[in-house]
Amino acid sequence: VGYFGLFDFGLSRALTKLVADKLGEGQIHQIPSLIWTCLMMMGGMAIVGTIVTFALSPWLVQSLMKVPANLRGESLHAFYWLSVSIPIVVLTAGMRGALEALQQFRLATAIRIPLGIFTYLGPVLVLPFSHSLVPIVVALVAARALACIAHFWACCRVLPELGSSFRLDRSSAGPLFRFGTWMSVSNVVGPVMVTFDRFVIGSMISVSAVAYYAVPSEIILKLLIFPAALIGVMFPAFSTAHSGQRSRVPFLFESSVKLICVSMFPLLLAIVVFAPEGLRLWLGADFARNSTWVVRCLAMAIFICSLAQVPFAYLQSIGRPDITAKLHVTELPFYLAALFFLVRADGIRGAALAWALRVAMDAILLFFFSRKLSPENRFVTTKVPFLMAGGVFLFLLGTVPMPPEIKLFGLALSVVLCGVLLWHWVLSPRQKSLLISQLRGTHATG
């Protein structure tokens, strides 16, 4: 359901940028017509996506995914329901982009949290009544529909004109489409590079090998929700600053990288250090034996990928989504070649290594182009390489076999170190004083 968001063709991100630009330029009165124009464009494209997906569902189930005959019936009906969900998913993404541009993160989060919980809880609630895939998918689609309605209500609450009048702005269609076209390239190529490795493993090794790779991979990839939450805030901030206060861009950029670094590193280091024990406790000895190396390799890659989210968002926020799209298109053939070669040579370990190498190259190029377009941002060349190299070195050190007591001590030391870095390296004097005053207020209340 989530991947069908690619049918918005980048327009949700385009809407976030253009609304942020209008805010930076003080043209708030033009925002409602801009939102309606974008939603109409997204809705039209999503309906086309629904028709295409509905028509292709039999081929997807029988030929592409090769679903066993006894499961094809419910799989086909599940795909039909998924195709119906496309307009819901796409319109929700557009309205969430508008809320983020308007700095309404509390409202957006208040809607997203229940949806995130129900994404996992909903299927469990269906199980006492049916073990078929179809009602599970129906429950997910129904939750998305409620979320779509909630997002529209939130937008109308922030912009009452949006609900009271329907106006289109044809002049904004061109900028939306041009920005969204490049974004759609990344939206199509990006998921391919994230998930194609599982298809390669299934075809070149076995379907059972996919489980040893996909299960820990899904958990590791979900950790990107933390940098994604920050980037959701920084994308409109970058865009607004670029429109009116460019001197703030280096500060925003540097603060984002530092915050992601100190927040993600302890968590990922804990995963690297305790991967064997965690997998054995969670999934059993077979997973611990087959998946430990995969988890550790992907955790290191996610650390680099998390930092790269900042230049990725920066380039798109200043109106250069063409750079990120061209990078993805250029990287794709090299990644696929490395993936086939390394999977053939070293199985699922090779797949994890290919993904990590692709992420590292992508990060280097993203930081390079962000520095090129923002020469005053010296942090990219003076600090970022040492951050990435130092992090990877400590991750590799964490893979060395050692007693559990030493592991716990090293992990506790890293958490303390990150706390010190957060205080002295990330927070500004004003942020420190605000935090101290809040803590004193809480203590006095207690």
Side-chain angles (χ1 to χ4, degrees), residues 116-391:
I117 294 173
F118 191 81
T119 299
Y120 295 94
L121 185 61
V124 177
L125 296 176
V126 172
L127 288 179
F129 307 98
S130 173
H131 289 179
S132 170
L133 183 63
V134 178
I136 290 177
V137 174
V138 171
L140 293 175
V141 173
R144 295 278 179 166
L146 291 174
C148 184
I149 296 171
H151 277 87
F152 182 72
W153 168 84
C155 288
C156 292
R157 179 181 177 183
V158 177
L159 288 172
E161 293 181 20
L162 188 69
S164 60
S165 63
F166 175 80
R167 299 196 315 271
L168 299 179
D169 181 11
R170 295 183 180 180
S171 63
S172 62
L176 283 167
F177 184 77
R178 284 191 295 272
F179 190 96
T181 299
W182 286 114
M183 286 291 301
S184 65
V185 174
S186 294
N187 289 346
V188 171
V189 178
V192 170
M193 291 194 287
V194 170
T195 60
F196 192 72
D197 46 7
R198 303 167 196 190
F199 292 98
V200 173
I201 293 170
S203 62
M204 295 182 65
I205 307 176
S206 67
V207 174
S208 60
V210 176
Y212 289 123
Y213 183 87
V215 173
S217 173
E218 276 294 316
I219 300 301
I220 296 294
L221 289 174
K222 285 291 185 290
L223 296 179
L224 287 174
I225 191 174
F226 296 110
L230 176 63
I231 294 306
V233 177
M234 296 313 301
F235 183 90
F238 280 141
S239 184
T240 303
H242 186 77
S243 298
Q245 298 176 314
R246 294 199 180 188
S247 59
R248 294 188 66 237
V249 170
F251 170 76
L252 294 173
F253 192 102
E254 181 176 340
S255 300
S256 301
V257 172
K258 288 179 177 179
L259 189 57
I260 288 175
C261 179
V262 298
S263 60
M264 291 294 289
F265 179 76
L267 178 61
L268 291 169
L269 182 61
I271 291 174
V272 168
V273 171
F274 291 102
E277 294 84 355
L279 287 170
R280 190 178 301 111
L281 179 65
W282 179 36
L283 297 169
D286 282 345
F287 266 90
R289 183 171 56 256
N290 290 284
S291 302
T292 293
W293 200 94
V294 171
V295 168
R296 285 173 164 171
C297 186
L298 293 179
M300 297 181 205
I302 287 296
F303 175 70
I304 297 174
C305 184
S306 298
L307 299 180
Q309 298 299 305
V310 179
F312 182 80
Y314 170 71
L315 291 171
Q316 293 182 343
S317 68
I318 64 173
R320 296 303 306 270
D322 59 308
I323 294 178
T324 57
K326 291 172 183 176
L327 287 179
H328 279 153
V329 172
T330 304
E331 292 167 10
L332 182 60
F334 292 99
Y335 168 63
L336 294 180
L339 180 63
F340 280 102
F341 175 79
L342 291 173
V343 168
R344 187 180 300 275
D346 202 15
I348 61 175
R349 293 160 58 104
L353 180 59
W355 199 82
L357 291 173
R358 198 273 304 173
V359 165
M361 181 56 63
D362 186 60
I364 292 171
L365 292 172
L366 287 170
F367 277 111
F368 169 78
F369 281 105
S370 65
R371 173 74 162 108
K372 188 176 181 180
L373 293 176
S374 181
E376 68 277 9
N377 192 4
R378 292 177 294 175
F379 175 78
V380 173
T381 52
T382 59
K383 298 286 180 65
V384 170
F386 299 100
L387 277 178
M388 291 196 292

Side-chain angles (χ1 to χ4, degrees), residues 44-88:
M45 294 180 180
I47 291 172
V48 173
T50 293
I51 295 171
V52 171
T53 306
F54 198 93
L56 290 179
S57 290
W59 174 78
L60 290 171
V61 170
Q62 298 177 21
S63 300
L64 182 63
M65 302 186 69
K66 297 180 180 178
V67 175
N70 61 320
L71 297 177
R72 285 178 185 170
E74 64 180 280
S75 298
L76 182 60
H77 285 90
F79 263 88
Y80 287 151
W81 275 102
L82 288 176
S83 65
V84 171
S85 75
I86 293 176
I88 299 171

